[in-house]
Amino acid sequence: MLRSTLNDALKTAMREKDQQRLSTVRLILAALKDRDIAARGEGQDQLGEDAILEMLQKMVRQRRDSIELYEKAGRTELADREKAEVAVIEAFLPQQMDEEATKAAVIEVIAEVEAASIKDMGKVMAVLKDRYAGQMDFGKASGVVKAELV
């Protein structure tokens, strides 16, 4: 479903001559194609929805890191371009969980897997990734898990 949404977005951007959106969607589709090729080497046909959502989240994180660096260097034009790309990519992601919802989900999973120490963090994160792919920022979630397990 997400693949068809991306392809439709590409066609719409072409029709509307929206260069920023067009170039960003092309970047997403190129990254998706690269990952599909890598998946074929591992015996899979193509990436599933969860893996695509994870890829999109990673693209957003990379751009946010770039924005921070560009702003520190005084390159506002490059930071603005990255911000525009983030906005386009986030349009394909489901609504992200806020801090309270993330904390509640982490506490629920910790209780569910009976995690007792930081050694159980991998189990907790695996369940969170399975259950909340595309909805949760796992970088922030890992901080919450560490705080809860210490």
Side-chain angles (χ1 to χ4, degrees):
M1 185 173 140
L2 195 51
R3 285 176 191 276
S4 63
T5 303
L6 287 166
N7 286 319
D8 291 344
L10 179 72
K11 293 172 190 171
T12 302
M14 289 173 123
R15 265 187 249 122
E16 295 175 357
K17 298 184 185 343
D18 183 349
Q19 291 301 316
Q20 178 62 50
R21 188 168 179 82
L22 179 63
S23 66
T24 304
V25 173
R26 282 183 172 157
L27 282 171
I28 294 169
L29 290 171
L32 181 57
K33 189 172 186 174
D34 285 345
R35 294 200 179 194
D36 280 341
I37 290 169
R40 271 189 246 138
E42 297 171 5
Q44 291 178 308
D45 187 27
Q46 57 183 335
L47 293 180
E49 291 286 313
D50 290 345
I52 295 172
L53 291 172
E54 193 174 310
M55 178 194 76
L56 291 174
Q57 283 183 317
K58 183 176 181 183
M59 291 177 82
V60 168
R61 269 194 312 275
Q62 290 170 334
R63 277 150 186 79
R64 286 202 173 123
D65 291 344
S66 297
I67 290 167
E68 190 177 314
L69 293 173
Y70 289 144
E71 287 176 344
K72 284 181 183 175
R75 300 292 307 265
T76 55
E77 71 283 356
L78 293 174
D80 291 342
R81 189 169 141 216
E82 294 289 323
K83 287 176 186 174
E85 286 184 8
V86 167
V88 172
I89 296 168
E90 284 182 335
F92 299 107
L93 288 169
Q95 182 66 37
Q96 297 292 300
M97 296 173 76
D98 63 359
E99 287 183 40
E100 291 175 20
T102 300
K103 187 170 183 171
V106 166
I107 291 170
E108 177 187 325
V109 171
I110 287 173
E112 186 178 307
V113 299
E114 299 175 355
S117 70
I118 199 76
K119 291 179 182 179
D120 299 322
M121 185 172 173
K123 285 190 248 177
V124 174
M125 291 303 294
V127 172
L128 288 172
K129 284 184 180 183
D130 284 344
R131 210 173 278 170
Y132 301 105
Q135 300 172 22
M136 182 183 285
D137 181 348
F138 295 111
K140 291 178 183 174
S142 71
V144 175
V145 171
K146 284 179 187 174
E148 292 294 322
L149 290 178
V150 172

